[in-house]
Amino acid sequence: MQNAIELHNVHHSFKEKEVLKDICLGVNKGEIFGLLGPSGAGKTTLINIMTGQLRPTGGESLIQGADSHALSGEQYKKIGIMMDHFGLYERLSCYDNLKFYEKLDGNRDENIDRILKKIGLLEAKKLPVAKLSKGMKNRLSFARAILRKPDILFLDEPTCGLDPNTTEELHNMILEEKARGTTIFLTTHNMHEAQKLCDHIALLHEGIIVEYGNPSELCRKYNHQRRFMIHLKNGNDVLLGHERESADAIANYLKNDELETIHTTEPDLETIFMELTGGKLDQ
């Protein structure tokens, strides 16, 4: 089956600075793919290349089998983009912003109120964008991106700087888009977001992909300690090795009703990134 997105040996330089180095990726249709890396790693540059806003210095970027820099108008209508309030007009109201893009795509505006209600902005439909909070602007940006019911949705740090409640709302809307069959390419430096949403992720460091895979499988792959962390009802913590002898100890804690919680010690994506690069995702 053809991938929704394919990158073949993509590299890019700004003057003497090489920011992407031979990126090779395939994103399956209908999945949420996460590109993780700190600020300056090249995430936004890669999205700009895939969405046809920037031509790479070398390599090939394909969207549903077509060169991303030679898409027709109809092909481009199947792509949604959310990038730092990209395409929002500050003086226009929420409603008029969406109406403008509906008309631009040749559609009627009968779906605007429904989408504004879905993202919790129906009561603010007449407010100009300039008066919206950051969370409201992010939701409107997301609405603009999904207005055309895209086959592929690019989200660049969609929850950066948002409070937990707004982040949760946006996560639910992203998962709704996936359920609709949309392919979603997400950039983030938030490891919890990636582990919650993504089917596959790639770790990007200084323009190079240093690891790729399913988040849970990667955490198991780098589980060098292989231990159990046990918290007892008396408040003590016990660390046991991942070995046969530990089974008897765990059984005794259960038998004596002493065990409160038990967890394995797999690393999170932040720990894996630090092990591979020596840096942090949230830099």
Side-chain angles (χ1 to χ4, degrees):
M1 184 176 70
Q2 184 186 70
N3 289 325
I5 301 169
E6 291 184 12
L7 301 173
H8 301 289
N9 304 108
V10 170
H11 58 94
H12 190 76
S13 299
F14 292 107
K15 294 184 178 180
E16 301 300 319
K17 182 176 175 58
E18 190 174 25
V19 294
L20 294 173
K21 305 168 187 177
D22 291 324
I23 303 295
C24 295
L25 279 178
V27 178
N28 299 322
K29 289 184 177 180
E31 78 167 334
I32 300 179
F33 180 89
L35 184 66
L36 279 68
S39 298
K43 304 188 301 295
T44 300
T45 299
L46 193 56
I47 278 195
N48 284 337
I49 288 171
M50 289 185 290
T51 55
Q53 301 175 72
L54 184 65
R55 188 172 292 277
T57 306
E60 187 178 39
S61 168
L62 302 177
I63 301 296
Q64 299 196 54
D67 185 338
S68 62
H69 298 88
L71 299 178
S72 68
E74 289 304 311
Q75 287 173 315
Y76 203 75
K77 286 181 181 180
K78 296 297 183 180
I79 297 173
I81 307 170
M82 178 185 175
M83 299 179 69
D84 193 25
H85 309 146
F86 169 80
L88 294 184
Y89 294 93
E90 294 281 309
R91 295 185 180 182
L92 293 182
S93 68
C94 297
Y95 182 90
D96 286 341
N97 262 278
L98 297 187
K99 181 178 180 179
F100 172 78
Y101 285 104
E102 279 272 275
K103 297 295 184 183
L104 199 64
D105 285 345
N107 300 322
R108 292 182 292 179
D109 58 11
E110 58 190 23
N111 294 320
I112 295 177
D113 279 351
R114 178 181 59 81
I115 290 178
L116 286 171
K117 182 177 180 180
K118 178 179 178 179
I119 63 168
L121 290 179
L122 186 59
E123 293 183 1
K125 64 185 286 186
K126 294 182 180 179
L127 276 181
V129 168
K131 292 187 177 182
L132 301 181
S133 68
K134 178 174 176 58
M136 294 167 79
K137 285 182 179 180
N138 273 47
R139 280 184 277 162
L140 186 61
S141 292
F142 185 82
R144 190 198 66 79
I146 66 171
L147 191 64
R148 53 177 50 167
K149 298 180 181 178
D151 292 336
I152 300 177
L153 182 59
F154 290 95
L155 305 175
D156 190 19
E157 301 279 3
T159 61
C160 183
L162 299 186
D163 64 83
N165 287 336
T166 306
T167 295
E168 182 70 18
E169 290 172 2
L170 202 53
H171 283 174
N172 290 336
M173 288 189 281
I174 291 170
L175 291 171
E176 285 177 17
E177 282 300 300
K178 179 189 177 182
R180 196 177 63 80
T182 307
T183 303
I184 299 169
F185 191 103
L186 166 77
T187 73
T188 183
H189 61 252
N190 184 324
M191 61 180 176
H192 301 295
E193 182 166 81
Q195 286 183 296
K196 175 182 177 180
L197 298 178
C198 298
D199 300 290
H200 292 93
I201 59 114
L203 300 178
L204 186 68
H205 177 62
E206 295 181 352
I208 298 171
I209 291 177
V210 295
E211 187 58 279
Y212 166 90
N214 172 270
S216 296
E217 290 175 359
L218 288 178
C219 291
R220 290 193 293 270
K221 176 181 176 181
Y222 286 89
N223 184 16
H224 306 308
Q225 290 186 329
R226 290 177 57 80
R227 293 182 180 181
F228 295 103
M229 175 63 76
I230 295 172
H231 183 73
L232 301 177
K233 292 182 178 180
N234 64 11
N236 292 334
D237 290 320
V238 179
L239 195 61
L240 297 175
H242 200 285
E243 52 202 29
R244 184 174 302 225
E245 290 77 11
S246 299
D248 291 336
I250 294 171
N252 283 330
Y253 287 134
L254 287 169
K255 184 176 170 182
N256 297 323
D257 195 27
E258 298 176 274
L259 191 151
E260 186 165 298
T261 63
I262 181 170
H263 301 282
T264 53
T265 58
E266 291 100 340
D268 56 27
L269 295 176
E270 177 81 35
T271 304
I272 294 170
F273 189 85
M274 290 179 67
E275 177 179 332
L276 293 171
T277 69
K280 293 184 178 181
L281 282 170
D282 60 355
Q283 291 175 326

